[in-house]
Amino acid sequence: MSKHPEYQKWAELASKQMKGKAVDKLDWMTPEGINVKPLYTAEDLEGMESANTLPGMAPYVRGPMATMYAGRPWTIRQYAGFSTAKESNAFYHKALAAGQKGLSVAFDLATHRGYDSDHPRVAGDIGKAGVAIDSVEDMKILFDGIPLDKMSVSMTMNGAVIPILAGYIVAAEEQGVSHDQLSGTIQNDILKEYLTRNTYIYPPGPSMRIISDIMEFCSTTMPKYNTISISGYHMMEAGANSVLQTAFTLADGVEYVKAALKSGMDIDTFAPRLSFFFGIGMNFFMDISMLRAARFLWYRLMSQFNPKNPKSSMLRTHCQTSGWSLTEQDPYNNVIRTTMEAMTAVLGGTQSLHTNSFDEAIGLPTDFSARIARNTQIIVQEESQICHVIDPLGGSYYVESLTDSIISEAQKIIDEIEELGGMAKAIETGMPKMRIEESAARKQALIDQGLDVIVGVNKYKLEDEKIDFDVREVPGTVRDEQVARLKEIKATRDQTAVEKALADLTAAAQNDGNLLEAALPAVRARATVGEISDAMESVFGRFVATTRCISGAYSSEYKGDSGAIDEIKKRTTTFLEKQGRRPRLLVTKMGQDGHDRGFKIVASAYADLGFDVDISPMFQTPEEAAKMAIENDVHVVGASSLAAGHKSLIPALIEELKKAGGEEILVVAGGVIPPGDYDFLFDSGVKAVFGPGTPIPESAGKTLTLLEEKYLG
């Protein structure tokens, strides 16, 4: 009970207004396991180390800069890239003219995974979820007319980070821009790829070496360039709550610091160039407090390395609003969601921000939707007067208490990771990935029950919904254009010079040469992204993850009325009794998209509902998925789609099933699929399509109905 002199009077008044209920009945337990009271007072801050601090001063809870936005507002960025370099360049010029302050480049999935556009494994991925880059010639077109000595460029790249960063450097050289003039950030955060996003190429050991080599090269030749953006965003999108995002992101950061120190670098040489990247969801105060807690914890964690430069202990961060929180249903609600999340990031003290477009639950942003997303930031920055006061929520009883709670809970997880031997060792045990997937499954169960409200999805639903805006679609001709450019480059370059440069890169990989430095001659000679990646893969190999699904997390969150899942369990048992086996489902993710939240949740939940579930490895081709479905003798394949490849990959899967004698196997589809494409998929042979926001009991029930009609009459 609070010691506030008027507390008892308040409690009596509140109890009377609640018709006699105790005040503690208003307490709320967050998904992070933090108990939130209905009232906070000054006494809640007593003895709190993170409270009563000042901006720009250790431990930086209130911001890394003394003046924060009163001195300089956050940088407005727009993460964008699609189709060809020429198309993306035109988009960038429009965005910069409309008030965007920095570039943030999205690459397509083939590029992320180190494949050239003519590789057969990536036929359905070219230009779909980012811009296709095959060589420095594409990179030069991407930045045509954009002065790289003046423009800060952020590039989200991890797997193929060596050829992409080298391509950016050489494109700048050929603009006449020296290395020391370049500013921006390369994400270069490979550990989180093994946890969530999965756009890795090499095993963890060689990947950590690549990070150290980039830090070493850039610290001496590119002092204005941030060599790593340690990312929690993709953990949040995969299902991590705010405490998990904080703990795992900072633990990744510590692992990178240790790797750099092990390579012989001085802490103050590279640590000031480290930056972070946090995801912002719809829990307004929680995520504000998360950013404040992360700054405190990073300062404390860095203290063990005894840096002399204060900047080595400052956490500077980019933020992005959530893509997962966007809904296909009643999509204009997403403008409001993004605005709230933008305010969260700003009140939490971000250094730069990307706001998602309202239509990204359906497809890539259009010029129209991107303008709204960009103007969201501009309006907050220019019209709200929020930039005049530094950390306006500093001293809030609730925010300071929540900050302290996140610090405490995240530190427990960080300590647990240290006991396992650090984040790389923890990843090998599977602990972080399992925690994130459990969190995602529990969240989905709460949504499906309506206990977590999503307006337009599980409450206040429209009876008759129609998509009344354009959806961007990348034409299939993009791959043809890229392949033609590749042929032209290979026909006109000095092949002897290319082969020598690639051989030198392989030798550097075999020995201890700096890989970024060794890649630059290959890029200048017009070696491709795929060739450079292959030159290192010949030494390091290509990493293949083990795909598993968890059990029990989804069903355990059903409280009270479990009628919907009980009915499905009863039906799966009836199917077993009549058919001699349970309904069997293969959940697969084809193409190079590594986001696995959706299909992992579906696999786990269907298993809890009584299905026998097989889950495919990531990055399957349609042929591989069909082969696995037939060998496992499944009744139905559930194809998960996120990256706009559904119109090529899913019909190809159906054709491969027919060719291999599996025409009896049903195919259903789910994920980010525009409603306008449903008829195309039905005409191709898909039996059901489950868009974003479809409750799992509903999709499972419809899938069961299809199987019952086919097998039980």
Side-chain angles (χ1 to χ4, degrees):
M1 182 179 290
S2 172
K3 294 180 288 186
H4 190 283
E6 301 293 320
Y7 180 85
Q8 192 58 44
K9 290 182 182 178
W10 170 83
E12 291 170 2
L13 176 62
S15 179
K16 186 182 296 184
Q17 291 174 355
M18 292 191 298
K19 299 181 179 179
K21 291 182 181 177
V23 171
D24 61 12
K25 296 294 184 184
L26 294 175
D27 283 11
W28 167 56
M29 183 67 72
T30 74
E32 292 79 5
I34 295 171
N35 187 66
V36 174
K37 303 183 297 181
L39 177 70
Y40 288 80
T41 67
E43 281 123 23
D44 289 292
L45 307 189
E46 289 180 5
M48 196 175 288
E49 188 181 356
S50 58
N52 300 314
T53 64
L54 291 172
M57 298 177 67
Y60 309 111
V61 175
R62 303 192 65 184
M65 309 304 292
T67 57
M68 289 300 289
Y69 306 145
R72 176 187 173 188
W74 69 92
T75 300
I76 297 172
R77 293 190 183 274
Q78 204 73 8
Y79 179 54
F82 60 93
S83 187
T84 62
K86 183 178 180 181
E87 289 284 325
S88 292
N89 176 263
F91 186 91
Y92 294 159
H93 279 285
K94 288 179 186 176
L96 292 170
Q100 184 175 311
K101 301 300 183 185
L103 292 182
S104 190
V105 182
F107 298 96
D108 78 351
L109 296 164
T111 306
H112 273 289
R113 296 269 291 150
Y115 294 114
D116 287 335
S117 296
D118 57 1
H119 196 287
R121 293 197 72 87
V122 297
D125 295 306
I126 306 305
K128 296 288 177 65
V131 60
I133 298 293
D134 289 317
S135 75
V136 70
E137 292 298 327
D138 288 332
M139 195 70 82
K140 287 170 66 179
I141 294 169
L142 186 68
F143 296 118
D144 185 42
I146 297 171
L148 294 178
D149 57 338
K150 297 181 175 63
M151 181 60 59
S152 171
V153 176
S154 173
M155 296 188 291
T156 300
M157 179 52 65
N158 303 281
V161 65
I162 289 290
I164 289 301
L165 183 54
Y168 166 72
I169 292 169
V170 173
E173 288 175 358
E174 296 185 12
Q175 266 193 14
V177 178
S178 61
H179 298 182
D180 62 350
Q181 294 176 289
L182 295 172
S183 64
T185 304
I186 189 80
Q187 190 166 98
N188 196 25
D189 173 14
I190 200 64
L191 287 177
K192 67 95 172 47
E193 299 297 328
Y194 303 111
L195 286 178
T196 57
R197 193 161 172 259
N198 298 304
T199 53
Y200 42 69
I201 299 175
Y202 314 111
S207 294
M208 291 296 289
R209 174 189 164 182
I210 286 170
I211 289 168
S212 296
D213 284 357
I214 289 172
M215 285 182 178
E216 182 181 34
F217 180 88
C218 294
S219 65
T220 55
T221 64
M222 297 166 62
K224 294 196 282 186
Y225 202 78
N226 297 320
T227 53
I228 192 167
S229 175
I230 305 155
S231 176
Y233 178 83
H234 305 93
M235 299 179 199
M236 181 268 289
E237 291 289 88
N241 60 44
S242 298
V243 166
L244 291 175
Q245 184 182 180
T246 303
F248 293 152
T249 304
L250 298 186
D252 278 353
V254 170
E255 194 79 0
Y256 296 135
V257 168
K258 289 179 178 177
L261 293 173
K262 187 177 179 181
S263 72
M265 298 179 69
D266 178 78
I267 185 74
D268 291 317
T269 300
F270 66 89
R273 307 311 310 165
L274 300 177
S275 69
F276 287 80
F277 175 22
F278 281 91
I280 304 297
M282 285 297 289
N283 195 337
F284 187 75
F285 289 106
M286 180 67 76
D287 284 353
I288 290 170
S289 303
M290 173 184 70
L291 296 180
R292 305 172 93 251
R295 287 192 290 267
F296 177 92
L297 283 166
W298 186 244
Y299 171 77
R300 188 157 75 186
L301 289 167
M302 288 299 286
S303 297
Q304 66 186 296
F305 303 113
N306 300 312
K308 304 295 186 294
N309 185 347
K311 290 183 178 179
S312 296
S313 303
M314 293 179 186
L315 184 146
R316 295 164 296 277
T317 190
H318 171 71
C319 287
Q320 181 173 338
T321 61
S322 174
W324 181 84
S325 70
L326 304 178
T327 64
E328 176 189 53
Q329 298 87 346
D330 209 355
Y332 288 112
N333 289 343
N334 294 334
V335 177
I336 303 158
R337 293 185 177 102
T338 296
T339 303
M340 285 187 62
E341 291 168 352
M343 288 294 294
T344 300
V346 169
L347 290 170
T350 190
Q351 278 59 69
S352 67
L353 178 62
H354 164 83
T355 34
N356 287 334
S357 300
F358 74 86
D359 52 357
E360 289 187 62
I362 299 167
L364 292 170
T366 62
D367 290 349
F368 170 71
S369 66
R371 179 172 175 267
I372 293 172
R374 189 166 50 249
N375 284 350
T376 299
Q377 288 198 60
I378 294 172
I379 289 167
V380 171
Q381 200 169 93
E382 301 282 352
E383 296 187 23
S384 72
Q385 312 303 321
I386 204 168
C387 292
H388 296 303
V389 175
I390 303 160
D391 187 29
L393 290 184
S396 158
Y397 302 142
Y398 177 40
V399 170
E400 297 289 3
S401 296
L402 203 52
T403 300
D404 184 68
S405 295
I406 295 173
I407 289 169
S408 176
E409 294 303 312
Q411 185 65 60
K412 292 176 186 175
I413 298 172
I414 292 168
D415 291 343
E416 184 180 351
I417 290 166
E418 281 300 303
E419 289 175 8
L420 291 171
M423 194 58 170
K425 294 289 186 185
I427 288 170
E428 290 177 7
T429 70
M431 181 273 275
K433 192 172 185 67
M434 194 64 72
R435 296 272 179 93
I436 291 170
E437 290 175 3
E438 286 175 357
S439 175
R442 294 181 193 284
K443 176 74 173 177
Q444 189 62 48
L446 294 172
I447 292 168
D448 286 349
Q449 296 173 85
L451 298 177
D452 276 7
V453 172
I454 299 181
V455 174
V457 174
N458 60 10
K459 198 172 184 180
Y460 311 111
K461 293 188 285 187
L462 294 176
E463 290 185 12
D464 183 26
E465 280 199 87
K466 293 180 180 177
I467 300 297
D468 58 352
F469 52 83
D470 293 333
V471 177
R472 186 188 293 277
E473 184 170 350
V474 175
T477 56
V478 170
R479 185 169 190 259
D480 296 334
E481 292 179 41
Q482 289 299 119
V483 170
R485 286 179 54 74
L486 276 167
K487 287 180 179 177
E488 181 184 353
I489 288 166
K490 290 179 179 180
T492 55
R493 68 190 184 181
D494 183 341
Q495 189 62 26
T496 302
V498 171
E499 290 173 2
K500 181 184 183 305
L502 291 173
D504 289 344
L505 177 58
T506 297
Q510 289 170 330
N511 302 302
D512 59 355
N514 186 288
L515 293 169
L516 178 56
E517 186 175 10
L520 290 172
V523 172
R524 294 182 187 117
R526 272 41 187 178
T528 67
V529 167
E531 289 170 333
I532 292 170
S533 298
D534 288 347
M536 292 183 288
E537 185 181 336
S538 67
V539 179
F540 300 147
R542 185 172 279 265
F543 181 73
V544 178
T546 301
T547 305
R548 298 178 297 180
C549 67
I550 57 174
S551 62
Y554 180 86
S555 58
S556 70
E557 283 300 321
Y558 263 80
K559 302 175 176 70
D561 181 15
S562 60
I565 66 171
D566 288 342
E567 176 61 25
I568 293 170
K569 287 179 180 179
K570 183 179 178 182
R571 289 169 65 189
T572 55
T573 300
T574 300
F575 191 95
L576 166 65
E577 291 168 352
K578 293 186 176 182
Q579 278 288 302
R581 63 189 184 115
R582 292 186 176 278
R584 188 161 192 152
L585 168 75
L586 170 66
V587 183
T588 186
K589 190 76 181 288
M590 296 176 291
Q592 297 301 305
D593 178 37
H595 294 89
D596 59 2
R597 176 179 184 155
F599 95 129
K600 286 286 188 68
I601 288 176
V602 167
S604 299
Y606 271 56
D608 285 358
L609 295 174
F611 285 74
D612 279 340
V613 178
D614 297 303
I615 186 166
S616 80
M618 297 294 292
F619 314 121
Q620 284 204 311
T621 63
E623 183 180 12
E624 290 166 343
K627 184 173 183 287
M628 185 173 180
I630 292 168
E631 288 178 349
N632 290 17
D633 195 20
V634 303
H635 296 104
V636 59
V637 177
S640 174
S641 177
L642 181 66
H646 54 275
K647 290 178 75 173
S648 58
L649 294 170
I650 297 176
L653 167 65
I654 293 170
E655 286 303 310
E656 291 294 338
L657 285 170
K658 289 177 181 176
K659 284 196 294 186
E663 59 274 357
E664 291 297 312
I665 297 173
L666 305 181
V667 175
V668 299
V672 180
I673 300 174
D677 290 347
Y678 285 18
D679 285 342
F680 172 87
L681 292 176
F682 292 142
D683 291 342
S684 300
V686 173
K687 298 302 180 183
V689 179
F690 306 117
T694 303
I696 285 175
E698 179 183 321
S699 71
K702 288 182 179 178
T703 301
L704 259 178
T705 298
L706 290 169
L707 295 176
E708 289 163 346
E709 290 172 351
K710 183 176 179 65
Y711 292 100
L712 305 185

